[in-house]
Amino acid sequence: MKSIAQLDPQSAAALVDCLKNAEIKSETKVATDDVGLEVADVLVADEDYDRACDAAEKWDAAMQAEQEKKSARKCDQCGSKKLEVIPHETLEQVIRCKDCGTMMPLQ
Ligand SMILES: [Zn+2]
């Protein structure tokens, strides 16, 4: 097995799904790094490595496009683009404006 990416467990699961769609078998190995963050290694068979890398690159590009779409969003209150996604008690996640503190649903 070869590692094609090290990601947070959530992203790793999304990548594994994407690889599954491309009919590439993969598995993840979760480890905890020096600062206590969980890091998932996405592993594929040696013979699938090149194909998996291609698929992972495409997946990564799609994720970044998604991220950019999100970052085009502005604060409802002050129009700031400095928004962060934070966990929330009742909603799963909310977007919080770093400038004025307004919370907005993650649509
Ligand atoms: Zn704001």
Side-chain angles (χ1 to χ4, degrees):
M1 300 293 273
K2 275 188 177 179
S3 167
I4 57 161
Q6 283 194 324
L7 299 160
D8 63 276
Q10 218 179 351
S11 300
L15 178 55
V16 166
D17 268 352
C18 165
L19 291 173
K20 210 187 284 172
N21 288 337
E23 289 174 358
I24 299 167
K25 270 191 200 163
S26 61
E27 57 184 64
T28 52
K29 207 169 62 182
V30 179
T32 309
D33 74 5
D34 306 343
V35 291
L37 281 173
E38 281 194 331
V39 182
D41 244 326
V42 181
L43 305 165
V44 298
D46 290 6
E47 64 266 27
D48 285 335
Y49 182 75
D50 288 338
R51 266 191 337 132
C53 280
D54 281 352
E57 256 169 48
K58 275 182 206 150
W59 172 80
D60 194 46
M63 291 291 281
Q64 272 182 20
E66 188 70 19
Q67 204 67 39
E68 266 167 40
K69 233 193 287 170
K70 259 186 219 160
S71 70
R73 181 149 180 198
K74 291 179 192 164
C75 171
D76 294 345
Q77 287 296 321
C78 72
S80 168
K81 281 188 179 176
K82 287 186 212 153
L83 307 176
E84 60 180 345
V85 177
I86 56 169
H88 190 269
E89 285 172 19
T90 49
L91 301 165
E92 265 184 19
Q93 288 177 319
V94 293
I95 296 175
R96 191 172 72 109
C97 174
K98 286 185 181 179
D99 282 337
C100 72
T102 298
M103 306 269 223
M104 292 160 281
L106 191 72
Q107 53 195 302

